[in-house]
Amino acid sequence: MEDCIFCKIAAKEIPSRPVYEDELVYAFYDLDPQAPTHFLVISKQHIASALDLTDEHAALVGHIYAVIAQIARQLGFDSYRVVTNCGESAGQSVFHLHFHVLAGRDMAWPPG
Ligand code: DGP
């Protein structure tokens, strides 16, 4: 989608530090890390937010969680947090579906 920063990152029009890529998803390190390890997993398909997900996306979302587990194993993490901010009030600033993966420190609950 034109003017979507994450579409441009997925298309390599904007540089990023890659973690993983396949035909459905791209994973790259977050510009503003909130943990010693903090990367994002995005769908290559432009989906504005989790609010737009339907049953049609079930395989995609399942694949994203499988990819996250695979990356975590490869990086040596057995403990990590996955966050999807959905909507401005929840902290979403980029309106392209993405999953934050945070690891390498203890996490507080509830999140702020
Ligand atoms: P959220 O606020 O939940 O929509 O998360 C957006 C995240 O995207 C935020 O943690 C910062 C990150 N981010 C924004 N622009 C860029 C960029 O150009 N490159 C990278 N690597 N991360 C970005």
Side-chain angles (χ1 to χ4, degrees):
M1 186 195 180
E2 216 176 308
D3 289 336
C4 170
I5 192 166
F6 282 0
C7 282
K8 289 181 179 171
I9 285 176
K12 312 296 177 343
E13 292 166 16
I14 293 176
S16 61
R17 274 180 65 210
V19 178
Y20 173 90
E21 180 167 19
D22 64 28
E23 68 280 2
L24 294 176
V25 305
Y26 180 52
F28 56 99
Y29 286 101
D30 196 291
L31 203 60
D32 182 22
Q34 302 301 315
T37 296
H38 182 179
F39 60 87
L40 304 170
V41 183
I42 67 172
S43 55
K44 288 191 171 175
Q45 178 188 357
H46 182 84
I47 299 168
S49 85
L51 198 58
D52 295 317
L53 291 172
T54 68
D55 280 344
E56 285 180 21
H57 303 108
L60 171 65
V61 175
H63 179 65
I64 287 170
Y65 272 90
V67 161
I68 290 170
Q70 180 188 322
I71 297 169
R73 281 192 296 269
Q74 281 171 356
L75 295 180
F77 292 115
D78 58 8
S79 188
Y80 58 88
R81 179 170 291 175
V82 182
V83 175
T84 299
N85 297 321
C86 180
E88 271 181 33
S89 299
Q92 186 175 7
S93 61
V94 177
F95 283 78
H96 179 126
L97 183 69
H98 57 280
F99 295 73
H100 296 258
V101 182
L102 302 128
R105 65 165 169 83
D106 290 341
M107 306 282 165
W109 191 264

